[in-house]
Amino acid sequence: MPDRLPGAPFVRRLPIELRADPSRVVVRPYVPGADDDHARARRIAARVMALSAAHVADELQGLMRDFGGHETQVKAGFRQRYAEVAGVIALDAPANDTQALLIGAYFSQEYGYEAAALFNPSIVPHPNQSGVPDGAVRFVLSLRAVGEGHVSSIAFRTGICDAAGWIVLAPQGERAVVPVIEDAALGGSRAAGVRMRCDDGLALSEIVIFPSTPAQRNGIEDLRLVRFTEDDGSVAWLGTYTAYSGQGIRQEILRTTDFASFSLDPIRGAAEAGKGMALFPRRLAGRYAMLGRADNETISLAFSDDLYEWPTGPTIIAPRWPWEFVQIGNCGAPIELDEGWLVVTHGVGAMRNYVLGACLLDARDPSRLIARTTRPLIRPDATERKGYVPNVVYSCGAMLHGRTLVLPYAVADSFTTFATMPVDQLLAAMD
């Protein structure tokens, strides 16, 4: 029977903590009032236009002094914001560049995107492995960053996992930048997607994927990244996540080949309103495969010929042990081993205790469960029980490095840490 220990004895918890930093901010759009005719927005713009040229220049200079830091980039953001609201404010006369910049500033605001929490990580090999020591791998870590109003966005860190399984994180870039939106249908359509790119020279840790469509307005949650290899050998990094509008959720997919340009598009079909969706890292018999949690209780498996069109699929794993009686779900993309498909799972037990386990699916028929852990791999210890959501450890994806499983995980929906474990001992602990 499962014991009450903090986890499996072969799990090595690393002395790393990634915690929220309220000083990191991005600039996001500000929309004044909820009036149907945008009268308040037009009044704000009219007040700016009524200022003298000297007064406009003085106000803009003060903004650059207080918020500039990277003046060219900040001005580009103000200019873009002006272009976005120009059709709404309907000026009687065109604004000159200085007026446009100041108007753009009035419709923008700084936002502490990770002021509250930094959690629910996933990890994948980095596209760039140049200069990495022998036996090591460079990785990308995605994180759910939560700020004011519990709005979630996607943040990134990078680092090296050495041959012994130790993690060294790269220094975080000093800036925080939202990619430039190149193409988006932002008019409220449920089918809206978005294309965005980042300026050259940005470190990945400086990039923040902030909600940018109506379906994402209140958050982009729990990205589950996977390095996906197509049948022709081409590689892309795909990530399923939950978009939250404030009224409802839907599943969407992020796609990138370089972590500099991104596409974010909705999933269609019965699985759209599910949770915990995670792609297999390649097609199976010519079809995409996905784990999910359509019923908020069990793990299901679905197949599709279209990356963006998904049924829910039948249940393949249900709760068995007391630590997962309330719910079992996958924690990221399945990992391919010679022995089968390794899936890290989460279980929810009494008093809403979240713990981490694992299972093994058949290599040829992943609907067949071969074995599963009988005890949690990781459960909250005495130092991990308290936080924004107590008694929770959770992950959105692990990475295989040789025969070591590298598992970043979140604690109490508050901060992120790491654990590693030998795959052979993990498999031996399954029944």
Side-chain angles (χ1 to χ4, degrees):
M1 293 297 292
D3 56 25
R4 300 302 300 171
L5 297 175
F10 53 82
V11 174
R12 178 173 65 179
R13 300 187 189 215
L14 303 184
I16 299 173
E17 290 185 0
L18 288 171
R19 291 185 175 271
D21 180 358
S23 72
R24 295 191 67 82
V25 297
V26 293
V27 177
R28 72 172 183 177
Y30 166 62
V31 181
D35 44 24
D36 293 335
D37 61 357
H38 303 292
R40 186 180 176 193
R42 289 200 296 272
R43 288 195 297 271
I44 293 171
R47 289 167 189 148
V48 174
M49 294 296 289
L51 296 174
S52 68
H55 201 166
V56 170
D58 184 62
E59 289 292 326
L60 190 60
Q61 184 179 4
L63 284 170
M64 290 300 101
R65 182 176 59 250
D66 293 340
F67 300 106
H70 304 276
E71 185 170 332
T72 300
Q73 186 180 62
V74 172
K75 284 186 174 180
F78 290 165
R79 196 171 283 114
Q80 178 184 343
R81 186 61 182 144
Y82 171 77
E84 292 170 351
V85 301
V88 169
I89 59 179
L91 297 175
D92 294 332
N96 61 37
D97 187 60
T98 308
Q99 291 170 324
L101 288 172
L102 189 56
I103 291 172
Y106 274 98
F107 290 90
S108 305
Q109 61 181 207
E110 278 194 329
Y111 179 79
Y113 66 94
E114 61 172 66
L118 194 64
F119 63 115
N120 288 6
S122 70
I123 187 170
V124 287
H126 196 291
N128 180 8
Q129 295 295 324
S130 62
V132 175
D134 290 344
V137 61
R138 180 177 289 119
F139 61 81
V140 173
L141 183 76
S142 72
L143 297 146
R144 178 177 169 184
V146 178
E148 173 192 349
H150 200 74
V151 176
S152 298
S153 53
I154 301 167
F156 299 100
R157 294 293 299 269
T158 61
I160 298 285
C161 180
D162 68 16
W166 289 103
I167 299 292
V168 177
L169 291 169
Q172 190 169 22
E174 62 181 31
R175 296 175 287 178
V177 179
V178 175
V180 175
I181 295 175
E182 292 186 313
D183 179 39
L186 302 178
S189 168
R190 286 286 294 167
V194 63
R195 307 289 178 271
M196 53 182 65
R197 62 171 176 79
C198 301
D199 294 333
D200 293 338
L202 282 176
L204 184 51
S205 62
E206 297 176 309
I207 296 170
V208 180
I209 308 295
F210 197 80
S212 56
T213 69
Q216 303 167 354
R217 184 175 289 114
N218 277 55
I220 298 174
E221 303 176 355
D222 300 346
L223 179 69
R224 287 166 163 84
L225 281 173
V226 63
R227 182 183 184 274
F228 188 90
T229 304
E230 272 288 5
D231 289 345
D232 63 4
S234 61
V235 174
W237 282 258
L238 305 176
T240 50
Y241 60 89
T242 298
Y244 177 47
S245 67
Q247 287 77 45
I249 65 168
R250 75 178 184 189
Q251 298 302 297
E252 298 186 348
I253 294 178
L254 175 148
R255 184 182 189 278
T256 183
T257 58
D258 55 9
F259 288 93
S261 296
F262 304 87
S263 63
L264 291 80
D265 293 285
I267 284 175
R268 305 178 299 272
E272 174 188 351
K275 293 279 283 184
M277 298 183 72
L279 280 160
F280 282 67
R282 61 176 176 83
R283 294 181 190 240
L284 304 183
R287 306 182 75 194
Y288 297 103
M290 182 100 77
L291 297 180
R293 184 165 47 84
D295 60 4
N296 288 320
E297 185 181 0
T298 64
I299 297 176
S300 59
L301 172 65
F303 292 91
S304 177
D305 296 318
D306 184 335
L307 181 61
Y308 298 97
E309 181 84 35
W310 286 92
T312 54
T315 294
I316 61 169
I317 309 171
R320 177 179 176 185
W321 303 110
W323 47 274
E324 57 192 23
F325 274 1
V326 174
Q327 171 183 303
I328 186 171
N330 71 288
C331 285
I335 296 171
E336 190 166 16
L337 305 174
D338 291 340
E339 294 88 347
W341 292 102
L342 175 64
V343 179
V344 179
T345 63
H346 74 265
V348 184
M351 288 293 291
R352 197 181 57 174
N353 274 279
Y354 274 70
V355 301
L356 297 178
C359 67
L360 188 69
L361 306 179
D362 186 80
R364 297 194 178 196
D365 178 11
S367 68
R368 189 171 75 87
L369 176 65
I370 297 176
R372 65 200 293 175
T373 50
T374 61
R375 296 175 171 85
L377 297 173
I378 300 175
R379 70 164 77 237
D381 66 17
T383 67
E384 298 174 333
R385 303 197 69 83
K386 303 303 180 185
Y388 185 58
V389 181
N391 306 319
V392 173
V393 290
Y394 195 84
S395 179
C396 287
M399 179 181 73
L400 186 67
H401 180 41
R403 291 291 285 185
T404 297
L405 186 70
V406 180
L407 176 61
Y409 67 94
V411 175
D413 279 14
S414 298
F415 67 93
T416 293
T417 186
F418 286 82
T420 62
M421 64 196 77
V423 168
D424 294 331
Q425 293 186 49
L426 169 57
L427 296 178
M430 293 184 182
D431 185 13

